[in-house]
């Protein structure tokens, strides 16, 4: 009960994301697929479930496959529990575990152990780093920050940064707005 795998998929959101990524209108997809604009709108708004044949027509119109659309689909549930034992336990530290399944507007990951200190990151959207255990050093915007257990660091989109664990068995939770979301406009204006 409440298990993510039991829930049907909502393919409409995946269809809409793909259509918008290609900058296509519903009318263009309707023309390419042979399906009506109202039916495509119902699919995107989860008011209609396409048959396998219709999904393949939509996928062809979007220059992808039905399998890829299904893989990008959101689960129909609005609540999903990710248990600690759900992730595979790698033999070596460091490790990264996704805390949110599927394609959503938010991503969250847990990093355990050391991290590639030399690797620089720059994300399109804002993110929050929370130190659950241990301690880290973070370099961002030319400044160094030391964070311990319970500390957070908020980074706006576009900030280049790197970080490393300074204590064994450090756990860092990173929560970010997903890269496919245009949440942040150019701040330099």
């Amino acid at each position: 009960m409440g298990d993510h795998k039991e829930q049907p998929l909502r393919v409409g959101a995946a269809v809409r994301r793909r259509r918008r990524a290609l900058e296509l209108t519903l009318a263009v997809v309707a023309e390419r697929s042979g399906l009506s604009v109202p039916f495509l709108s119902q699919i995107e708004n989860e008011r209609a479930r396409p048959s396998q044949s219709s999904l393949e027509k939509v996928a062809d119109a979007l220059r992808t496959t039905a399998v890829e659309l299904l893989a990008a689909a959101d689960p129909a549930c609005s609540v999903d529990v990710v248990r600690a034992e759900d992730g595979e336990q790698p033999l070596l530290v460091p490790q990264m575990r996704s805390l949110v399944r599927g394609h959503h507007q938010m991503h969250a990951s847990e990093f355990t152990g050391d991290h590639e200190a030399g690797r620089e990151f720059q994300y399109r959207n804002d993110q929050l780093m929370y130190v659950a255990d241990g301690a880290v050093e973070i370099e961002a915007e030319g400044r160094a920050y030391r964070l311990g257990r319970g500390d957070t660091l908020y980074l706006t989109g576009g900030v280049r940064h790197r970080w490393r664990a300074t204590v064994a068995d450090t756990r860092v939770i990173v929560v970010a707005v997903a890269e496919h979301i245009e949440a942040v406009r150019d701040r330099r204006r």
Side-chain angles (χ1 to χ4, degrees):
M1 186 162 110
D3 185 24
H4 169 77
K5 295 176 185 107
E6 296 172 1
Q7 300 295 327
L9 295 176
R10 297 183 319 166
V11 74
V15 169
R16 180 184 300 114
R17 283 190 297 269
R18 177 70 179 174
R19 177 180 62 79
R20 287 181 177 169
L22 294 173
E23 298 180 353
L24 299 175
T25 64
L26 280 173
V28 170
V29 176
E31 183 180 317
R32 288 182 181 178
S33 66
L35 301 171
S36 71
V37 171
F39 180 61
L40 290 171
S41 177
Q42 288 177 342
I43 290 171
E44 285 192 1
N45 292 302
E46 304 299 341
R47 289 182 299 211
R49 293 191 64 178
S51 66
Q52 183 65 31
S53 172
S54 293
L55 185 59
E56 287 171 3
K57 289 177 183 178
V58 171
D60 287 343
L62 296 174
R63 296 186 183 107
T64 189
T65 65
V67 171
E68 288 192 15
L69 286 175
L70 288 171
D74 294 337
C77 63
S78 60
V79 175
D80 184 27
V81 175
V82 177
R83 303 259 182 227
E85 64 270 9
D86 287 351
E88 293 180 22
Q89 298 299 318
L91 298 174
L92 301 174
V93 172
Q95 65 182 357
M96 190 278 287
R97 178 173 75 102
S98 180
L99 301 176
V100 178
R101 287 185 270 236
H103 190 77
H104 297 286
Q105 294 181 13
M106 181 189 75
H107 288 203
S109 301
E110 175 186 54
F111 294 88
T112 304
D114 204 358
H115 191 66
E116 297 176 50
R119 183 173 176 201
E120 187 174 75
F121 298 92
Q122 181 180 25
Y123 296 103
R124 174 181 180 169
N125 294 317
D126 297 1
Q127 73 173 7
L128 175 90
M129 298 178 75
Y130 170 75
V131 181
D133 284 310
V136 297
E137 287 181 349
I138 302 170
E139 180 186 320
E141 293 293 308
R143 293 185 59 196
Y145 302 89
R146 294 178 192 268
L147 278 68
R149 182 178 180 186
D151 292 341
T152 61
L153 180 77
Y154 188 90
L155 300 163
T156 58
V159 172
R160 292 182 186 275
H161 62 283
R162 67 182 88 227
W163 64 276
R164 71 179 187 89
T166 58
V167 175
D169 297 324
T170 291
R171 285 188 319 121
V172 176
I173 310 297
V174 178
V175 179
V177 175
E179 290 292 306
H180 71 277
I181 304 293
E182 188 174 336
V184 179
R185 299 269 185 219
D186 187 358
R187 286 187 163 86
R188 290 171 282 195
R189 291 183 189 177

